[in-house]
Amino acid sequence: MTMSRSLRTLALSCALAAITACQTSPPQPVVVPAAFRPLGVSAPYLLGDVIGGQRARAAKMRAAKIRPLSAYEVGSYMADLDAELRRQTAGIGLDVLQVGGGIVIRIPATFTFDPGSAAVKATTDATLLEIARTVKTRNRTFVDVLAHTDTSGSPQTNAALSEKRAAAVATYLVGHGVARARIASRGLGESAPLYNPEADETQKAANRRIEIRLVPYRA
């Protein structure tokens, strides 16, 4: 009887210890795979002023009767915009990144242009349409369209091609309801690669990208 009672006491003590351990042990940290680590988010071109400067761009926004954000509105407005863009582009394969108080939508090569072309193709059209729907209604931001190439070809050719591609995407957004007063575009050619040097075709494709930067239009 004494032995049986001792065994029951021991079993109960072990069970309580196990429960206590489960309650007090910290959760295991989630390891984010390297493939999901955003690249190039500290690049100077993403952290600098909007294309053409905020003063000149703000004058166009005022002329278009677009209302600026007050200081207390900026945080919640950009958080809501970020959440909406993530919902709308979920599963498409884009990156939505928070950079320097703004949002960068990074569109990879598979959704942009054919090699050597600045014509918006069908896969780009479907992707940009989803983005345009949100950017059009959330109109209290500056919109910068940035285009990049890989290092194939000469720097001069790549610079010219990226300018045409950036302008093509800007024109597309305007054609789908985004106010022209909000938009500026720039081609960066091969000057701001995510991978340098490019080790393989996957890295070349990553460098060929379109970025749409949304910066809050402040009062």
Side-chain angles (χ1 to χ4, degrees):
M1 178 69 74
T2 302
M3 178 65 73
S4 177
R5 186 181 298 115
S6 298
L7 289 173
R8 286 199 300 271
T9 302
L10 179 60
L12 179 60
S13 298
C14 291
L16 289 172
I19 293 171
T20 301
C22 289
Q23 291 175 336
T24 60
S25 297
Q28 293 298 310
V30 176
V31 178
V32 179
F36 292 94
R37 190 173 301 139
L39 297 171
V41 295
S42 61
Y45 77 93
L46 288 177
L47 299 173
D49 199 1
V50 295
I51 298 170
Q54 290 212 22
R55 179 175 294 184
R57 296 279 295 278
K60 294 179 180 180
M61 298 275 270
R62 286 194 299 272
K65 302 293 191 285
I66 298 172
R67 186 163 54 94
L69 294 162
S70 64
Y72 72 87
E73 290 179 301
V74 170
S76 60
Y77 187 91
M78 296 304 290
D80 289 346
L81 176 55
D82 178 85
E84 188 170 345
L85 284 168
R86 290 178 188 278
R87 284 195 301 270
Q88 198 159 28
T89 61
I92 294 178
L94 311 185
D95 287 329
V96 178
L97 309 170
Q98 295 186 21
V99 181
I103 296 169
V104 174
I105 307 162
R106 183 170 285 159
I107 309 172
T110 51
F111 295 109
T112 52
F113 301 93
D114 289 326
S117 172
V120 175
K121 61 182 182 180
T123 49
T124 313
D125 183 275
T127 303
L128 289 177
L129 183 58
E130 291 301 313
I131 295 169
R133 286 171 178 164
T134 296
V135 174
K136 174 179 66 175
T137 57
R138 296 275 184 170
N139 72 339
R140 300 169 77 184
T141 59
F142 299 107
V143 182
D144 282 350
V145 180
L146 304 159
H148 305 262
T149 68
D150 59 28
T151 58
S152 301
S154 71
Q156 295 78 13
T157 298
N158 287 336
L161 179 60
S162 66
E163 284 285 356
K164 292 177 182 177
R165 287 176 170 176
V169 173
T171 299
Y172 180 96
L173 294 176
V174 170
H176 287 80
V178 181
R180 183 176 292 278
R182 299 174 58 201
I183 299 179
S185 65
R186 176 176 292 164
L188 294 171
E190 60 186 69
S191 67
L194 296 178
Y195 294 95
N196 186 23
E198 300 159 339
D200 52 35
E201 186 53 43
T202 298
Q203 293 185 1
K204 278 182 175 289
N207 284 341
R208 297 190 303 267
R209 66 198 187 278
I210 293 289
E211 291 167 330
I212 299 174
R213 183 170 69 141
L214 307 174
V215 177
Y217 167 42
R218 302 170 188 266

